[in-house]
Amino acid sequence: QVQLVESGGGSVQAGGSLRLSCAASGITFSMNYMGWFRQAPGKEREGVAVIWIRNGMIYYSDSVKGRFTISRDNDKNTVYLQMNSLRPEDTSMYYCAAASFGRNGGIWSRETYNYWGQGTQVTVSS
């Protein structure tokens, strides 16, 4: 089992920055890649950034490319999401997720991820 705990959410004005952290514990060597997803009220949960644990390959959704940066610290079993130039439309609950080896449903598919954190709220005011 893997446990994921997010932190770093909060309220910020448009144009501001926040950094989210996701600390993983448990059988972390079983994780193949980790991602950040977000879900606003009444909307589907969407992936925003994914990072492969072993080789560091990174993918971003078009909506955050150039503004968000995902990174990892393997020694600390922690993944970060640096969010700059935040916009009101970035307001969402942000979730950290991890996919074990062998789960190959696509990096943007929620079903691919078998571990999820509890979420951290990000609110951006105009």
Side-chain angles (χ1 to χ4, degrees), residues 17-60:
S17 299
L18 285 173
R19 188 175 84 153
L20 306 182
S21 299
C22 175
S25 60
I27 312 175
T28 55
F29 63 81
S30 69
M31 297 188 300
N32 191 12
Y33 46 87
M34 295 181 68
W36 286 96
F37 285 70
R38 65 185 183 186
Q39 187 169 19
K43 294 189 176 180
E44 292 287 320
R45 191 171 297 189
E46 63 169 348
V48 297
V50 176
I51 186 166
W52 293 73
I53 299 302
R54 300 296 172 92
N55 62 20
M57 289 179 63
I58 289 173
Y59 301 88
Y60 296 103

Side-chain angles (χ1 to χ4, degrees), residues 88-105:
E89 54 264 38
D90 294 318
T91 296
S92 283
M93 184 72 80
Y94 283 72
Y95 297 91
C96 176
S100 300
F101 285 95
R103 298 184 68 89
N104 300 312

Side-chain angles (χ1 to χ4, degrees), residues 8-126:
S11 297
V12 65
Q13 290 190 327
S17 299
L18 285 173
R19 188 175 84 153
L20 306 182
S21 299
C22 175
S25 60
I27 312 175
T28 55
F29 63 81
S30 69
M31 297 188 300
N32 191 12
Y33 46 87
M34 295 181 68
W36 286 96
F37 285 70
R38 65 185 183 186
Q39 187 169 19
K43 294 189 176 180
E44 292 287 320
R45 191 171 297 189
E46 63 169 348
V48 297
V50 176
I51 186 166
W52 293 73
I53 299 302
R54 300 296 172 92
N55 62 20
M57 289 179 63
I58 289 173
Y59 301 88
Y60 296 103
S61 68
D62 289 341
S63 61
V64 306
K65 197 174 296 181
R67 300 187 299 122
F68 290 12
T69 302
I70 189 172
S71 61
R72 76 198 195 285
D73 184 331
N74 287 351
D75 290 337
K76 295 182 179 180
N77 290 326
T78 300
V79 171
Y80 304 95
L81 185 67
Q82 177 66 43
M83 305 185 294
N84 298 329
S85 302
L86 283 162
R87 305 167 180 169
E89 54 264 38
D90 294 318
T91 296
S92 283
M93 184 72 80
Y94 283 72
Y95 297 91
C96 176
S100 300
F101 285 95
R103 298 184 68 89
N104 300 312
I107 61 172
W108 299 121
S109 172
R110 292 168 51 185
E111 288 68 31
T112 297
Y113 295 83
N114 49 333
Y115 300 107
W116 291 85
Q118 81 288 351
T120 185
Q121 178 68 36
V122 172
T123 303
V124 184
S125 58
S126 57

